[in-house]
Amino acid sequence: MRLLLVEDDDMIAETVLGAMRRAGYAIDWAEDGRAAELSLGNGVYDLVLLDLGLPKKDGIEVLNAYRKNGGDAPVIILTARDAVDERIRGLDAGADDYLIKPFDLDELAARVRALSRRRTGQKQPVYTHAELTLDPAAHEVTLNGAALPLVPREFALLQALIEQPTRVFTKAELEEKLYGWGEEVGSNTIEVHVHSLRRKIGAEQVVTVRGVGYRLKRCG
Ligand code: CA
């Protein structure tokens, strides 16, 4: 899951970025409406957190343009308590949900989980692969039925692999899923996460495809 936060207030932005990263999401930050449009043009985001009062281009305009261009990621708008009109315009422009500032970070995380669950379109968004299950909504992994604690990056790595279990991911693709811009990614970072994930789920579960990248072990 890769998120985009559009917010011009540094303090709010840093708090949200920290909380979302700790929850295991890759998240990028756009500080104004123009930067938001450029970022959204990449089409890599699974969910957008959008402040409406923005320099350079208003959040409603950004949202209108995004939806007009076929952007379909869920959008949560972040608005002030007294800005009822703004909220309504945001929802009319295609926002999926809103949060009133100041908001609780746990509530934000819950809304993000709920919308990403809806986006997957599954009633039971639990992935199963051989002896493993991964429940993105509950943020839980089991191995042979027993709960398996993973740190956020291990979880994000396993989620990427298990969502498309036959696909080979390059290191660059995995970095994109695990990290936001500006986060330092060492040259062997993905190898380190693969190594620690293998120690927990079994070395044979993650297959190295020489010269390409990684995929899950074939099952069945
Ligand atoms: Ca603002």
Side-chain angles (χ1 to χ4, degrees):
M1 277 277 293
R2 192 178 187 85
L3 277 51
L4 179 68
L5 169 67
V6 185
E7 171 63 67
D8 61 317
D9 183 312
D10 293 10
M11 294 260 287
I12 296 176
E14 272 160 34
T15 309
V16 170
L17 292 174
M20 292 291 100
R21 283 174 187 155
R22 280 192 299 280
Y25 298 108
I27 182 166
D28 298 326
W29 176 25
E31 289 177 72
D32 62 57
R34 243 352 107 60
E37 273 196 337
L38 282 175
S39 305
L40 289 170
N42 296 334
V44 298
Y45 295 104
D46 302 297
L47 192 141
V48 182
L49 304 173
L50 178 67
D51 177 34
L52 293 181
L54 291 168
K56 299 194 181 166
K57 192 157 205 175
D58 184 71
I60 299 277
E61 281 180 67
V62 172
L63 179 54
N64 269 322
Y66 177 62
R67 290 291 187 233
K68 199 177 284 174
N69 294 328
D72 64 353
V75 173
I76 301 176
I77 51 178
L78 311 173
T79 77
R81 180 167 303 279
D82 52 1
V84 180
D85 285 357
E86 196 180 73
R87 214 138 64 219
I88 293 168
R89 284 199 300 139
L91 292 169
D92 283 345
D96 298 88
D97 201 354
Y98 65 85
L99 273 172
I100 292 169
K101 294 177 181 180
F103 47 80
D104 182 86
L105 290 170
D106 290 336
E107 185 180 5
L108 172 64
R111 301 282 183 96
V112 167
R113 283 197 301 273
L115 280 176
S116 52
R117 204 158 44 220
R118 218 182 293 164
R119 181 167 169 78
T120 63
Q122 294 167 290
K123 283 205 185 73
Q124 281 286 9
V126 176
Y127 298 94
T128 303
H129 188 83
E131 305 81 17
L132 283 165
T133 68
L134 182 145
D135 182 343
H139 232 265
E140 281 171 2
V141 172
T142 66
L143 179 62
N144 293 317
L148 183 71
L150 296 180
V151 301
R153 304 275 197 214
E154 292 164 354
F155 186 93
L157 172 62
L158 181 60
Q159 184 172 357
L161 295 172
I162 210 167
E163 280 176 352
Q164 292 173 271
T166 58
R167 178 168 165 194
V168 181
F169 286 90
T170 66
K171 276 207 304 179
E173 287 167 336
L174 292 172
E175 281 170 9
E176 189 170 277
K177 289 193 177 281
L178 270 62
Y179 290 90
W181 307 323
E183 278 191 278
E184 210 148 306
V185 187
S187 59
N188 64 347
T189 299
I190 295 298
E191 282 96 328
V192 171
H193 293 314
V194 168
H195 179 75
S196 60
L197 182 62
R198 278 176 170 154
R199 280 210 327 235
K200 293 185 178 174
I201 68 173
E204 73 292 347
Q205 299 276 4
V206 183
V207 177
T208 303
V209 181
R210 210 165 271 281
V212 188
Y214 301 99
R215 65 166 167 78
L216 278 191
K217 174 184 86 171
R218 297 218 162 83
C219 63

